[in-house]
Amino acid sequence: MSKADPPGVKPYDGPAGGWGALKAVANAIREQTAVASDVRALLKANQPMGFDCPGCAWPDPDHRSSFEFCENGAKAVAWEATARRAPPEFFAAHSVSELWGWSDFELEAQGRLTHPMAYDAASDRYLSISWDEAFARIGVALRALPDPNMAEFYTSGRASNEAAFLYQLFVREFGTNNFPDCSNMCHEATSVGLPESIGVGKGTVTLEDFDHCDAIFCVGHNPGTNHPRMLATLREAARRKVPIVVFNPLRERGLERFASPQDPFEMLTLRSTEIASSYYQLKVGGDLAMLKGMMKAVLALDAADLARGGKGVLDRTFIAENTESFSAIEADLASVEWDEIERRSGLARSDVEAAAEVYAKAERVIVCYGMGITQHLDGVANVQHLANLLLLRGNLGRKGAGICPLRGHSNVQGDRTVGVTEIPTEAFLARLDAAFGVTSPRTKGNNAVETVEAIRDGRSKAIVCLGGNLAVAMPDPEATFAAMRKLDLAVHIATKLNRSHLILARESILLPCLGRTEVDMQEGGPQCVTVEDSMSVVHASRGGLAPASEHLRSEPAIIAGIAKASLPATKVDWDFLVADYGRIRDRIEEVFPEFFDFNARVARPGGFRLDVAASRREWLTPSGRARFIVAPGLGRADRPTPDVLLLTTIRSHDQYNTTIYSLNDRYRGVTGRRDVVFVNPEDLAALGLAHGDLVDVVAVPAGEGEAARALRGQTAVAFPIAKGSVAAYYPEANGLIALAAYDHTSGTPAYKSAPVRLRAHA
């Protein structure tokens, strides 16, 4: 550590992957004290007869290696397969008031939950109860609600298709469409924006398309930490000289260079592969300006080529035959001035034009994006302008080209596919009702933000959470926590303890469930579940480890138990379905025709791909054409005064969503701490601050009378981040995000563009 560096901060010079990744895998396994089981589990991760890694939704290759897991996948498996336990004795020794003072990392580090537990106010402790009592108490509380819409039903993306399908069936028979979902906080802008553009809320590419593309654009994502198996795909493209153009506010090592742990030459020679051919650090919130600049430059290249007697660079045949509203886009781009594009994006015109030239020269282009695009006030507009860019040259619906939203949890996309949504279509509800003889509600339900608002206002009094850490994941924890404490009932189906479980309702119940790695034994024998990856491939997942406790139940079994207790006159034979998950898949097929021959097709190694109409240029829009969609202006995220910076929340390398594996962030050079804020060195100097100073990060109020929010006592770290931008860790920095700061088209919170000021910490 040099004198200039604060404790626990030292620049990292190595590549992504490499020996550092192998060491981290070994450490993760050792720290969870379950070496034999962890290794057995890892060897079955993402294999045809194994389980699907809960770490991310990157697809599995057709020809798999002996190990198909990455560093962070290994951490996720070790975290779940840990030998550590949080049994009733643990809760007897620690009151909830005491546990509240523990860090989120310490809470989850206690290990797997082993028994159903209910909070006892007299002792301020969670006490063990039987499954029958747990279900009975939940049923009494849900039936006591005056209106089914006073209950909220949250879903984490790690739930299987089978669990998610049963969950939405139960909730709709109960009488509500209140489905706050983790998608609401990440890719809802995709789910809402892409159907308006191309008729489907999913990506259009397959893994094979990366073998045939001529250029890849990576916008607003960090594969080294959030989807590391993607690095192998990017590495192969880079090695065959495919341009990889990156737009991201921070320099991220996984987008710069990668050493594959499966390549003996790179490992033994300590060499690595350069990933990005061009790396542009646009400002936080500058995506829409950059995209409009790219399209404006492409139109200029087209006009110049036509003037020289060429054919132009636009695919005018594709535009004429497949799209509508192109003239509206032309007019909008003509009205945008370059000086404003430069100011709002933070990029020089020459850089934007250089990127546009790469795009124009490539015959087949893939655009990949993550939450750096979606988690903004203009998330839907950002997504739709990515689609607009691809439509200009016909880069949708053909081999080697398309749009690639990068999902997080390994089945967050599948949950939506099988019905977990607050805005169901009439066609889906009609099929569900016909299949089960139920009458589903038709009114729109609550998304995640609306759920917290409803609980805050007293309109909702109960919540059931299928996994996740909802209260911590949401913006403005002060308001969110206070709202959740008003509930009459809070039920959490979980594998480990987290802070949301300590935010107590009048009745709080913890239900421990099986994990992905564990054998799921039902009446019909050991079961498999199914998941859908980012590229719409559905495949089976089979756990092989002994359950962490004999008292655990599977998510489908728990949902069935709650349903039977809450719906005495239910029309669904829940026990019949849970006895054999193949029966659940039969009913999924009945309700969703795209799952035809579900059991037969998913039994094949690798599973099958669901139909994505836009992949074959069938546009399921009202007009039957893909649409160019105009968004006015250059986005709502801006700096009203020079001292205001735009903050993006980020995950560390040892983190998955709200789960903290350790206090390290290797690729950013941080060890043993998370109380840092990453700042451009020039911005630090302009504010009279220095690398290592203690600062308060203060949110700029969004409206009159709004209470000040601050993240205090953070260490300022000089970092290669775009000027005018700062970054801090999620979820610690969620207190800087107003609950009202979200994209009003999709409901996605603006975790990636919060206006803040830095102040010297007193």
Side-chain angles (χ1 to χ4, degrees):
M1 182 182 73
S2 71
K3 290 183 179 180
D5 289 323
V9 177
K10 183 179 181 180
Y12 176 76
D13 296 324
W19 289 106
L22 293 183
K23 180 181 178 182
V25 170
N27 288 342
I29 294 173
R30 184 183 66 252
E31 288 167 4
Q32 296 302 323
T33 65
V35 175
S37 63
D38 282 346
V39 172
R40 287 202 310 273
L42 285 172
L43 293 177
K44 293 186 177 181
N46 303 313
Q47 298 295 339
M49 295 303 292
F51 68 94
D52 191 73
C53 175
C56 78
W58 189 252
D60 302 323
D62 290 336
H63 304 289
R64 308 182 198 201
S65 65
S66 57
F67 63 94
E68 279 296 337
F69 59 87
C70 64
E71 174 188 344
N72 283 11
K75 293 171 187 172
V77 172
W79 180 90
E80 179 176 292
T82 179
R84 299 175 184 175
R85 302 288 183 264
E89 292 79 9
F90 166 80
F91 291 97
H94 304 285
S95 69
V96 168
S97 297
E98 177 195 345
L99 292 173
W100 184 260
W102 293 19
S103 71
D104 292 40
F105 171 61
E106 291 170 319
L107 291 174
E108 297 204 29
Q110 301 314 303
R112 295 288 298 277
L113 297 170
T114 62
H115 292 66
M117 309 292 291
Y119 178 68
D120 174 64
S123 63
D124 188 29
R125 282 165 168 77
Y126 271 105
L127 304 180
S128 175
I129 59 174
S130 70
W131 280 103
D132 287 344
E133 182 181 353
F135 291 146
R137 289 165 71 166
I138 295 167
V140 167
L142 288 178
R143 293 197 307 273
L145 295 173
D147 183 341
N149 290 309
M150 295 180 72
E152 309 286 343
F153 297 88
Y154 176 73
T155 317
S156 161
R158 72 176 179 82
S160 65
N161 287 325
E162 290 75 13
F165 181 77
L166 290 190
Y167 195 53
Q168 64 83 30
L169 172 61
F170 154 56
V171 173
R172 292 198 162 98
E173 189 180 16
F174 181 73
T176 185
N177 285 315
N178 287 346
F179 279 110
D181 179 66
C182 61
S183 289
N184 295 148
M185 292 175 275
C186 56
H187 265 287
E188 192 66 24
T190 295
S191 300
V192 172
L194 283 187
E196 294 180 348
S197 293
I198 62 174
V200 62
K202 302 181 180 184
T204 64
V205 300
T206 66
L207 195 56
E208 182 186 2
D209 284 320
F210 284 85
D211 296 332
H212 302 281
C213 66
D214 301 309
I216 299 171
F217 282 72
C218 294
V219 188
H221 71 96
N222 176 18
T225 290
N226 300 330
H227 26 270
R229 288 201 299 144
M230 183 189 188
L231 290 177
T233 301
L234 294 177
R235 173 180 178 270
E236 291 306 309
R239 289 165 73 90
R240 58 185 182 88
K241 307 303 181 185
V242 171
I244 298 176
V245 180
V246 173
F247 289 97
N248 205 62
L250 290 84
R251 298 290 299 194
E252 299 287 17
R253 189 52 45 88
L255 289 165
E256 295 177 315
R257 47 197 170 95
F258 172 57
S260 172
Q262 298 197 46
D263 186 321
F265 178 78
E266 284 191 340
M267 296 297 286
L268 293 174
T269 61
L270 302 181
R271 297 187 181 184
S272 59
T273 299
E274 299 291 327
I275 299 298
S277 55
S278 302
Y279 203 125
Y280 301 111
Q281 290 185 256
L282 80 168
K283 288 180 182 177
V284 165
D287 308 278
L288 189 58
M290 176 273 291
L291 289 167
K292 286 195 176 185
M294 281 265 300
M295 289 188 287
K296 188 178 181 74
V298 169
L299 292 184
L301 290 170
D302 180 72
D305 190 63
L306 290 173
R308 292 192 298 267
K311 297 180 179 180
V313 300
L314 300 184
D315 190 336
R316 295 185 180 276
T317 300
F318 171 85
I319 292 171
E321 294 178 353
N322 290 273
T323 75
E324 61 181 349
S325 302
F326 174 61
S327 59
I329 280 289
E330 285 186 298
D332 180 66
L333 296 176
S335 70
V336 180
E337 299 297 332
W338 272 109
D339 60 349
E340 189 65 6
I341 290 173
E342 289 183 307
R343 185 185 76 81
R344 295 295 294 274
S345 70
L347 299 175
R349 174 176 178 175
S350 58
D351 286 339
V352 178
E353 289 177 330
E357 284 195 35
V358 174
Y359 176 76
K361 290 178 179 178
E363 184 179 348
R364 301 176 181 87
V365 175
I366 293 174
V367 172
C368 307
Y369 69 95
M371 290 182 286
I373 280 288
T374 61
Q375 290 181 329
H376 292 278
L377 296 172
D378 303 284
V380 167
N382 289 341
V383 169
Q384 290 176 338
H385 276 69
L386 289 175
N388 289 341
L389 177 64
L390 289 167
L391 289 172
L392 290 178
R393 287 182 43 78
N395 277 308
L396 285 164
R398 59 194 178 102
K399 180 182 289 189
I403 195 163
C404 181
L406 296 158
R407 306 283 182 167
H409 273 305
S410 68
N411 200 44
V412 62
Q413 185 164 299
D415 289 355
R416 277 299 168 86
T417 301
V418 300
V420 174
T421 174
E422 75 278 10
I423 44 175
T425 66
E426 174 58 32
F428 154 57
L429 293 179
R431 293 193 302 269
L432 185 72
D433 290 356
F436 290 96
V438 300
T439 303
S440 299
R442 262 51 182 183
T443 55
K444 176 192 174 298
N446 290 333
N447 62 26
V449 170
E450 291 164 343
T451 286
V452 176
E453 292 174 337
I455 295 171
R456 178 197 63 195
D457 298 340
R459 291 179 282 113
S460 288
K461 301 300 293 182
I463 191 165
V464 179
C465 294
L466 181 58
N469 191 3
L470 175 61
V472 171
M474 290 298 294
D476 198 347
E478 185 174 344
T480 299
F481 291 2
M484 295 292 184
R485 292 189 176 102
K486 297 179 179 180
L487 289 166
D488 289 339
L489 174 70
V491 179
H492 298 277
I493 302 168
T495 56
K496 285 192 173 184
L497 181 67
N498 64 46
R499 188 164 303 279
S500 289
H501 305 161
L502 306 179
I503 301 172
L504 300 169
R506 184 177 301 173
E507 175 96 90
S508 295
I509 296 175
L510 306 183
L511 302 177
C513 65
L514 293 171
R516 283 271 180 90
T517 59
E518 294 167 320
V519 174
D520 183 350
M521 185 66 70
Q522 301 297 332
E523 182 182 321
Q527 303 296 312
C528 74
V529 295
T530 61
V531 297
E532 179 184 348
D533 65 30
S534 279
M535 296 178 187
S536 302
V537 175
V538 177
H539 54 274
S541 177
R542 300 171 179 83
L545 299 181
S549 165
E550 62 180 356
H551 301 287
L552 302 185
R553 294 194 181 183
S554 72
E555 289 180 335
I558 294 172
I559 293 163
I562 296 174
K564 290 188 295 179
S566 306
L567 302 167
T570 181
K571 296 182 179 180
V572 179
D573 190 341
W574 298 97
D575 291 336
F576 175 79
L577 293 173
V578 171
D580 183 343
Y581 295 174
R583 296 166 181 169
I584 304 175
R585 290 187 283 275
D586 286 338
R587 306 314 293 273
I588 293 175
E589 176 182 339
E590 187 176 350
V591 176
F592 298 99
E594 59 266 38
F595 282 91
F596 66 91
D597 295 335
F598 193 173
N599 279 304
R601 289 197 292 163
V602 84
R604 303 167 190 159
F608 62 94
R609 186 176 189 237
L610 291 169
D611 180 56
V612 179
S615 294
R616 60 175 191 278
R617 294 189 173 177
E618 181 180 341
W619 318 106
L620 302 180
T621 61
S623 67
R625 287 173 171 263
R627 296 178 59 208
F628 285 96
I629 299 177
V630 174
L634 294 175
R636 286 176 286 173
D638 199 9
R639 302 168 61 192
T641 57
D643 65 325
V644 172
L645 307 172
L646 287 178
L647 175 136
T648 178
T649 62
I650 56 176
R651 299 195 314 208
S652 77
H653 189 58
D654 274 12
Q655 176 181 357
Y656 188 74
N657 292 343
T658 61
T659 297
I660 314 297
Y661 300 129
S662 84
L663 302 181
N664 301 331
D665 190 4
R666 186 170 78 251
Y667 296 156
R668 299 189 185 107
V670 177
T671 303
R673 60 188 307 183
R674 292 175 60 83
D675 57 341
V676 299
V677 57
F678 299 98
V679 192
N680 181 284
E682 293 183 38
D683 287 332
L684 279 176
L687 294 169
L689 299 169
H691 177 60
D693 282 357
L694 284 183
V695 299
D696 295 336
V697 188
V698 183
V700 175
E704 285 290 327
E706 182 184 85
R709 299 180 307 279
L711 186 62
R712 303 190 185 280
Q714 302 294 293
T715 296
V717 173
F719 195 82
I721 184 173
K723 286 182 65 176
S725 308
V726 294
Y729 290 126
Y730 164 97
E732 291 87 342
N734 282 4
L736 299 168
I737 316 298
L739 190 62
Y742 60 88
D743 177 2
H744 285 266
T745 305
S746 67
T748 309
Y751 296 104
K752 303 295 188 189
S753 50
V756 299
R757 291 185 173 93
L758 298 187
R759 298 283 186 258
H761 180 65

